[in-house]
């Protein structure tokens, strides 16, 4: 059977009425990011935030209408809520209004985005490109922060390739009370990932605005509180989607993961430039896959060279947060869904992550002290 065309899908969606404007949903501008691959269809139904969860029947109606078309194999309709409609492209972050601070903990966020109630600090783990171990560092850093006694959450914002379900071996779906989703708790962490919500065999073709809305939803519509720190595993790269994300998420700081190779470092520099542009403080650079320790003889080799990240950090005026060795056990424990800090917290690899967590925790508390409101007596 022939796959449906975009026009067929639009036509079927035009039969659905937007209850707010009274227009059909295509005319009302609610359909975003329509993507077709063979008979697999995905799109977002974009509504104003206040209509959020109440629009679920509308999303379902869209999905049903498209499913009925001949040749359609699967339909993924995602409900997204934009803070401001028509915010299609990255732009300078809007400063929050004074009353917005009622919801935020601590001082005004550097990115200009609103804080999340009950969540102390939100930090991003980013990389200039994929495959450098960003997710591995994010999950082990989060476990390290939890081991230090901090209430910690992990938000997998790597919507293009969510890895937290695999890294923490989570197969359950988060429960919803109709208003908020409960994060899934594992190894003392509260975790949320788009991968928990979408079937892996369904195509996920995301467009920039959909990515940002989904992340905004995963921040605001998830029962995170109370948390001391929320670690966000960012999508790799420094494109528009990442830039907008850095502006939208109320980040206290960012950590950039790089391998020692020059190429990765060039990308790390781009990552740094991106956060500087958005006024998000870079807490430092971590060098991953730094040193290879032979599992048989214990011999140490700097396969990819050494010290590149430390030098780059010094040259760029940011802190060097440490080195994580290239060790088979790190990959194997990740693949098995029990990351090294959970599996062998006293081993040398876990200690490297715990040292990183310690540095990050110190930096966050130093920042909090520096920016605490000062009482001036005149
Ligand atoms: P990214 O999030 O940057 O795409 P991942 O965290 O998914 O990267 O890591 C890519 C691959 O490298 C994974 O198979 C992971 O297990 C492995 N890996 C990451 N860091 C290390 C390390 N320090 N030692 C061994 N393998 C690692």
């Amino acid at each position: 059977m022939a796959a449906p065309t975009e026009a067929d899908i639009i036509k079927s969606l035009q039969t659905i009425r937007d209850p707010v404007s009274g227009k059909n949903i295509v005319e009302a501008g609610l359909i975003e990011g329509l993507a077709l691959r063979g008979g697999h269809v995905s799109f977002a139904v974009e509504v104003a935030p206040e209509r959020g969860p109440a629009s679920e029947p509308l999303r379902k109606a869209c999905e049903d209408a498209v499913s009925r078309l001949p040749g359609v194999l699967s339909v993924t309709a995602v409900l997204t809520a934009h803070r401001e409609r028509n915010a299609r492209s990255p732009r300078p972050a809007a400063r929050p209004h004074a009353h917005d601070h009622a919801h935020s903990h601590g001082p005004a966020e550097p990115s200009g985005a609103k804080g999340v109630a009950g969540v102390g600090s939100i930090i991003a783990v980013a990389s200039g490109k994929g495959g450098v171990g960003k997710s591995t560092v994010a999950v082990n850093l989060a476990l390290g922060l939890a081991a230090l006694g901090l209430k910690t959450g992990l938000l997998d914002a790597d919507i293009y390739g969510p890895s937290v379900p695999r890294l923490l071996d989570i197969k359950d779906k988060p429960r919803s009370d109709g208003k908020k989703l409960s994060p899934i708790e594992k190894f003392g962490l509260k975790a949320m990932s788009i991968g928990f919500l979408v079937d892996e065999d369904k195509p996920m073709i995301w467009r920039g605005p959909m990515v940002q809305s989904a992340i905004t939803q995963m921040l605001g519509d998830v029962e995170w509180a109370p948390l001391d720190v929320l670690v966000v595993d960012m999508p790799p790269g420094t494109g528009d989607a990442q830039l907008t994300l850095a502006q939208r998420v109320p980040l206290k700081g960012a950590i950039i993961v790089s391998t020692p190779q020059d190429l990765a470092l060039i990308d790390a520099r781009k990552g740094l430039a991106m956060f500087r542009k958005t006024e998000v403080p870079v807490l430092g650079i971590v060098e991953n896959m730094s040193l290879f320790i032979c599992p048989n003889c214990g011999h140490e080799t700097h396969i990819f060279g050494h010290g590149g990240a430390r030098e780059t950090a010094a040259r760029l005026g940011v802190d060097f947060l440490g080195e994580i060795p290239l060790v088979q056990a790190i990959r194997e424990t990740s693949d098995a869904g029990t990351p090294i800090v959970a599996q062998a917290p006293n081993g040398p690899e876990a200690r490297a992550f715990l040292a990183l967590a310690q540095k990050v925790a110190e930096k966050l508390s130093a920042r909090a002290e520096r920016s605490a409101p000062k009482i001036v007596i005149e």
Side-chain angles (χ1 to χ4, degrees), residues 134-218:
K134 172 184 55 59
S135 299
T136 307
V137 170
V139 74
N140 282 293
L141 167 65
L143 287 165
L145 290 164
L148 293 175
L150 297 173
K151 290 192 198 75
T152 308
L154 178 64
L155 169 58
D156 183 2
D158 190 347
I159 305 235
Y160 304 104
S163 45
V164 166
R166 181 178 53 85
L167 287 172
L168 295 180
D169 189 25
I170 294 175
K171 297 192 180 76
D172 308 336
K173 300 268 175 229
R175 278 202 303 272
S176 163
D177 64 2
K179 281 194 189 131
K180 289 215 168 192
L181 281 178
S182 305
I184 302 221
E185 304 211 12
K186 189 92 187 253
F187 305 126
L189 293 180
K190 286 184 185 170
M192 181 51 70
S193 164
I194 194 82
F196 298 161
L197 307 172
V198 183
D199 286 344
E200 271 175 32
D201 50 357
K202 284 204 173 165
M204 263 216 297
I205 306 156
W206 295 86
R207 300 271 171 94
M210 293 170 68
V211 173
Q212 292 130 30
S213 314
I215 290 167
T216 311
Q217 256 179 309
M218 285 202 291

Side-chain angles (χ1 to χ4, degrees), residues 127 129-136 166 288-289 324-328 330-331 334-335:
S127 64
K129 62 168 199 170
V132 301
K134 172 184 55 59
S135 299
T136 307
R166 181 178 53 85
N288 186 33
M289 309 199 206
I324 308 295
L326 172 67
V327 192
Q328 203 169 331
I330 294 184
R331 188 187 56 72
S334 293
D335 288 348

